[in-house]
């Protein structure tokens, strides 16, 4: 069975500092990869996705992620965070074809301090 | 463009009362539809998914049920709520690449 591990449950960082949120997955087949953001009391919003092609994916709000097949990782990065980036971030993976259901990580809470 | 709406946004219900949450999708046809729940401070739990009208798959045995009476309508129900049903309920539909598009969420408090 597939699993997604978000290694940090909480990441505190100061405003304008860089940040990396880590995501590792276990799958023996080709996958699609996603990052979502959830602001308090809202639904999840797609930040970016990797389906195929370039392993560096750029998303909304200045975020990017890099797919590393050998390390089965899909870490999310931003060079300079803002207070408004404070939110919960979820990594998700879905096998090519097959199941309709993506597997989600448990989430990482990004807390940006002034 | 596609949109998804769910309601009500917030509700407070007594234990033992019924529940009905509704979700509708616009701008797409025959979408895969999902119901998730988030308990306080926890991740996403998939409750139900549907690949077509009348086709419902349950992921977690419980006192909740789901129905899909129309192509773009997904309803989550309960006949008798439990305290443990409290949480944030999210409806979603999936795009071509498997990405999910979520509604605004419905916060249920069972007292």
């Amino acid at each position: 069975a597939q699993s997604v591990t978000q290694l940090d449950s909480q990441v505190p960082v100061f405003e304008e500092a860089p940040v990396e949120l880590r995501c590792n997955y276990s799958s023996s087949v080709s996958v699609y990869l996603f990052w979502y953001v959830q602001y308090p009391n809202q639904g999840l919003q797609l930040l970016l996705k990797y389906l195929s092609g370039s392993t560096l994916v750029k998303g909304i709000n200045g975020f990017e992620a890099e797919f590393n097949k050998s390390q089965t990782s899909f870490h999310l990065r931003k060079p300079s965070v803002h207070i408004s980036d404070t939110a919960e971030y979820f990594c998700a993976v879905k096998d090519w074809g097959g199941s309709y259901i993506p597997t989600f990580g448990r989430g990482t809470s990004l807390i940006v301090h002034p | 463009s596609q949109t998804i709406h769910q309601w009500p946004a917030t509700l407070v219900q007594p234990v033992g009362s019924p529940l009905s949450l509704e979700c509708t999708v616009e701008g797409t046809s025959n979408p895969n539809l999902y119901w998730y729940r988030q308990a306080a401070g926890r991740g996403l739990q998939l409750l139900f998914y549907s690949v077509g009208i009348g086709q419902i798959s349950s992921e977690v045995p419980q006192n909740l049920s789901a129905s899909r009476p129309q192509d773009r309508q997904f309803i989550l129900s309960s006949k008798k709520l439990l305290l443990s049903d409290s949480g944030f309920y999210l409806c979603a539909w999936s795009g071509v690449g498997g990405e999910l598009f979520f509604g605004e969420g419905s916060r249920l408090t069972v007292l």
Side-chain angles (χ1 to χ4, degrees):
Chain A
Q2 216 172 66
S3 67
V4 177
T5 303
Q6 292 185 242
L7 296 165
D8 305 298
S9 60
Q10 202 172 82
V11 173
V13 63
F14 287 107
E15 193 173 20
E16 297 183 7
V19 70
E20 179 179 81
L21 305 184
R22 296 178 292 171
C23 173
N24 287 88
Y25 66 95
S26 64
S27 177
S28 59
V29 299
S30 297
V31 296
Y32 298 140
L33 295 157
F34 312 93
W35 275 100
Y36 295 85
V37 61
Q38 185 181 29
Y39 301 103
N41 294 312
Q42 295 185 26
L44 279 70
Q45 177 184 2
L46 184 66
L47 264 182
L48 48 79
K49 61 185 178 184
Y50 171 79
L51 302 182
S52 65
S54 172
T55 57
L56 183 62
V57 180
K58 294 191 182 295
I60 62 172
N61 301 341
F63 283 93
E64 63 182 30
E66 186 157 19
F67 169 51
N68 188 319
K69 187 174 183 179
S70 63
Q71 297 185 12
T72 59
S73 68
F74 191 53
H75 300 334
L76 181 71
R77 297 191 293 258
K78 186 170 182 178
S80 176
V81 295
H82 303 289
I83 294 287
S84 59
D85 292 322
T86 296
E88 194 80 14
Y89 292 80
F90 292 91
C91 179
V93 61
K94 181 184 174 302
D95 290 343
W96 285 17
S99 172
Y100 300 105
I101 304 168
T103 300
F104 281 85
R106 292 186 61 82
T108 296
S109 179
L110 176 63
I111 302 170
V112 182
H113 298 288
Chain B
S1 63
Q2 300 90 353
T3 58
I4 178 169
H5 299 288
Q6 57 178 113
W7 68 93
T10 305
L11 66 166
V12 180
Q13 296 285 99
V15 170
S17 64
L19 171 73
S20 180
L21 301 178
E22 292 197 33
C23 171
T24 58
V25 180
E26 297 177 359
T28 186
S29 59
N30 196 30
N32 292 339
L33 296 172
Y34 307 79
W35 276 112
Y36 284 88
R37 177 171 64 196
Q38 275 183 305
R42 301 182 69 176
L44 293 165
Q45 179 186 32
L46 178 65
L47 301 175
F48 302 94
Y49 71 95
S50 171
V51 300
I53 297 175
Q55 300 178 62
I56 309 294
S57 295
S58 174
E59 292 295 302
V60 182
Q62 58 204 331
N63 68 322
L64 299 172
S65 62
S67 62
R68 186 170 176 173
Q70 300 181 44
D71 181 44
R72 290 169 291 175
Q73 184 183 27
F74 205 24
I75 298 172
L76 183 70
S77 304
S78 175
K79 293 181 178 179
K80 289 186 177 182
L81 284 169
L82 306 172
L83 286 173
S84 58
D85 291 323
S86 292
F88 193 52
Y89 288 81
L90 290 160
C91 180
W93 68 277
S94 61
V96 174
E99 64 271 40
L100 296 185
F101 299 94
F102 287 84
E104 308 93 333
S106 299
R107 184 163 301 282
L108 170 65
T109 302
V110 182
L111 300 177

